[in-house]
Amino acid sequence: MIITVDGPAAAGKGTLSQKLADKYGLAYFDTGMVYRAVGLMMLKQTLELSDACAAQKMAGELTFATMMELSRDKDFRSSIGGQAASIVSSYSGVRAQLLDMQRNFAKNPTFADGSPANGVIYDGRDTGTVICPHADVKFFITASSEVRAKRRYDEFLQKGMNVLFDDVLRDVKARDERDANRKDAPMKPAEDAIILDTSDLNIDEVFQKAVAFIEERLK
Ligand code: DC
């Protein structure tokens, strides 16, 4: 089974995906990681994020193992890492280089320990439209920018990071703006996606709704 979970930054894609992966025994691919990895490689090598050619080259050199290694870096999930990812992900050459790596994962999905999974859950904003248009179930998770900024702000605080809410909100809006205007992977639900607005729902409510849709689809 292949499930895709698309939607804007901090809408709750990751939490929902993890819970669904656990319930259905699916391997989880957080596709934002490929862009975070390329962005971080650029930063570490002090390359200009505006250099699309350099970013494309970095993307071509990225392996799954390198991505996993970079994911342990303190900047990988930080606001700086998110901005860098957002910038490099706007280059079509970068996206093209990273397509096979993401698609190939579904051919032989495994968990981190190498054991086989029942399928994959892809988390990321173009997974239902570009990466896996033939997925069995597609979700598009959204919420207002204020609600999303508050969730991200709380996450940062929990991790002990010192941030201001207004900065996080500005960051979320800047990313929305950039992501919405991308030519090759604009932020839009797949035609057959189930749209879930999570602004007024807690994670358990979102999860229950998603499970109900999946059970219906599996009948
Ligand atoms: O989900 P995230 O915050 O880790 O994503 C980081 C950036 O990567 C985000 O600003 C846009 C980009 N991204 C993308 O373009 N396509 C995806 N499938 C996932 C993420």
Side-chain angles (χ1 to χ4, degrees), residues 7-10 13 30-36 76-77 81-90 95 102 123-127 131 152 175 178-179 182 185:
K13 301 190 296 288
D30 167 7
T31 60
M33 287 177 71
V34 297
Y35 303 103
R36 284 181 185 266
F76 193 78
R77 293 274 166 207
Q83 284 295 342
S86 176
I87 294 168
V88 299
S89 73
S90 68
R95 303 195 76 84
Q102 295 174 83
D123 163 353
R125 62 205 64 204
D126 65 342
T127 53
I131 306 295
R152 190 127 285 181
R175 284 174 55 177
R178 191 158 40 227
D179 294 340
R182 269 194 333 227

